[in-house]
Amino acid sequence: MSKAYGGERDEQGIVLPGLSVEKRIVLSGLSDEAGTSLREQIQAHEELGWRELEIRTVNGSSLADIEEVDFQAIQRDIEAAHMQVTVVSSRIANWERPITAPFEWDAEELNRLAARVPALGTKYIRIMSYPNDGLPESVWRGNVIERIRRLTEIAADAGLILLHENCAGWAGASADHALDLVQTIDSPHLRLLFDTGNGIAYRYDTHEYLKKVLPYVSHVHIKDGIWENEQAVYALPGEGQSRVRESIRLLLEHHYSGIFAIEPHLHLIPHLKQQSTADGGSLKQSYIAYGRCLESLLDELQEIETQSGGVFV
C-alpha cells in the first residue's frame, strides 16, 4: 500500500511533513491531463489524496485568457476543495512564441497572471525561452537574455518567481545554456523547472543535465518515455529511458524541498496538439494510475534508502 503524499507548505513555501511522518515529499500534477474541466482535475487529485494542482488550462483555456468572473469561480472551487496551486504553467516564451514573436504578448500575459496567481496560493509561473526563428546563435541568445531579464523584473515587482523549464527555447537546449541564463540574469526571481522526461524528445540525457543545474532547481516535472521510430513515446514513471529514479534520488540526497508534479503525456501532449479519443473518465483514471505509479516508485526508493541506513526527509 502506497503511503500518503498529501502534505502542506508553510508560509515560505517549504514542504512540511504530510500524512506520512517519514517523508517530506509532496506531489502535484499538471491537472489538465486528468480532464478538461476543473471539476475533473480536482476530483483526480482528491482521489490521489494530493492537495496541490498545477494549472495549465481549464476548459481548454490558459489562465491568462479566462474572463474575470470565470477566474473567480476557479478560485472559489479550488478553495472549496481545500487545495492550492503549485505552479501556473504559462505560454510565455513557449513553442508557440519564437524569438521573433512580439515581446508584448509575453509581457501582457505575465502582467495578467501577476494579478491572479497569488490568489491561488502560488508565486511560481512556468516559462520557456523562445525557440529560434532563423537568427544567428549569438543574436538568439542576446535577445533571449534581454527578454527574460525584462520578464524577471516584472515578476520581481509582483513578488513572483519565474521557473524556466528545460523545454522549448534557447536555454532549454542544454544545461550550459540554462546556467548561462540564470547566472547572467542573477535574480532570485528566476529559477529552473526540471522535467525528467524532456530529454527524450530533445535528445539529451536529463539526468546529466540535472547534475549541472541542481542548485537552481525549484520545481520538478515527472515524465518518462523512450525514443522509438524517430519520436518520443511516453511511459509510466520509471519504465522509460529518462533515468527518473536516479534523478529523484539525486534531488532528495541534495535536500530538494520543492514539489514533484506529474506530467504524464500519455493522453494529452499540448505542444503537439495531440489528445487521445478517450473519454474524461478514462483520462482521469489514467492520470490517477500514473500518480499511484509515482507513489510506488517513491516508496521503493524510500525502502532502499531505509535498508541502507538512510531516510529521505
Side-chain angles (χ1 to χ4, degrees):
M1 178 68 68
S2 181
K3 298 181 179 68
Y5 293 87
E8 296 178 351
R9 291 178 287 166
D10 70 7
E11 293 179 354
Q12 288 74 43
I14 305 301
V15 178
L16 297 172
L19 300 178
S20 168
V21 296
E22 299 174 353
K23 299 181 182 296
R24 296 175 184 267
I25 299 173
V26 174
L27 303 183
S28 179
L30 281 87
S31 54
D32 59 359
E33 297 205 21
T36 302
S37 71
L38 183 63
R39 181 173 178 272
E40 291 170 317
Q41 297 174 25
I42 288 175
Q43 284 179 341
H45 284 239
E46 287 177 333
E47 290 190 39
L48 284 163
W50 300 354
R51 311 313 305 170
E52 302 269 346
L53 298 166
E54 183 162 338
I55 299 291
R56 181 167 50 199
T57 62
V58 176
N59 294 325
S61 295
S62 298
L63 199 63
D65 292 345
I66 292 170
E67 296 295 330
E68 183 61 26
V69 64
D70 295 323
F71 171 75
Q72 291 177 7
I74 289 170
Q75 181 185 349
R76 288 195 301 270
D77 288 346
I78 291 173
E79 290 175 350
H82 305 290
M83 293 188 177
Q84 60 185 0
V85 174
T86 305
V87 174
V88 170
S89 287
S90 78
R91 297 162 299 181
I92 295 170
N94 77 356
W95 52 84
E96 296 179 327
R97 298 180 182 176
I99 192 60
T100 52
F103 175 72
E104 289 73 20
W105 292 355
D106 291 324
E108 289 171 4
E109 179 164 349
L110 180 53
N111 280 315
R112 186 161 182 136
L113 289 175
R116 291 182 164 182
V117 298
L120 300 177
T122 188
K123 59 185 176 182
Y124 294 115
I125 297 175
R126 188 280 307 269
I127 68 168
M128 297 180 196
S129 56
Y130 300 102
N132 201 3
D133 190 17
L135 299 182
E137 170 74 20
S138 62
V139 177
W140 182 25
R141 174 197 177 275
N143 288 355
V144 167
I145 295 290
E146 175 60 23
R147 287 185 175 207
I148 301 298
R149 188 192 305 278
R150 292 167 65 184
L151 292 168
T152 301
E153 290 171 353
I154 295 172
D157 288 343
L160 302 175
I161 297 173
L162 302 181
L163 297 177
H164 176 272
E165 182 177 354
N166 55 313
C167 193
W170 179 81
S174 69
D176 290 341
H177 282 195
L179 289 174
D180 188 1
L181 180 74
V182 293
Q183 291 172 355
T184 299
I185 293 177
D186 190 22
S187 169
H189 295 274
L190 176 65
R191 286 294 179 261
L192 299 180
L193 187 165
F194 171 67
D195 187 302
T196 62
N198 280 348
I200 296 296
Y202 289 96
R203 312 305 301 132
Y204 65 86
D205 187 320
T206 47
H207 185 67
E208 295 303 317
Y209 178 105
L210 175 62
K211 288 180 181 179
K212 292 185 177 182
V213 305
L214 188 59
Y216 296 97
V217 173
S218 293
H219 189 56
V220 173
H221 284 173
I222 298 296
K223 186 190 292 131
D224 206 349
I226 63 173
W227 185 253
E228 186 176 80
N229 298 323
E230 299 301 312
Q231 65 179 345
V233 179
Y234 296 99
L236 290 169
E239 296 186 4
Q241 300 168 340
S242 299
R243 302 174 70 183
V244 173
R245 286 180 177 83
E246 293 173 75
S247 292
I248 291 175
R249 285 185 64 89
L250 181 62
L251 286 157
L252 295 177
E253 286 168 357
H254 286 79
H255 308 291
Y256 170 72
S257 61
I259 290 172
F260 293 98
I262 63 172
E263 188 182 13
H265 270 19
L266 297 182
H267 291 294
L268 176 68
I269 307 178
H271 66 281
L272 297 180
K273 301 189 186 303
Q274 292 181 358
Q275 183 169 350
S276 76
T277 57
D279 62 25
S282 296
L283 285 174
K284 187 178 77 170
Q285 293 308 314
S286 175
Y287 186 89
I288 291 169
Y290 197 99
R292 294 293 183 220
C293 184
L294 176 59
E295 290 180 339
S296 295
L297 189 154
L298 290 168
D299 288 344
E300 171 193 320
L301 290 175
Q302 181 67 79
E303 183 63 26
I304 293 171
E305 190 70 8
T306 300
Q307 290 176 358
S308 67
V311 62
F312 291 135
V313 296

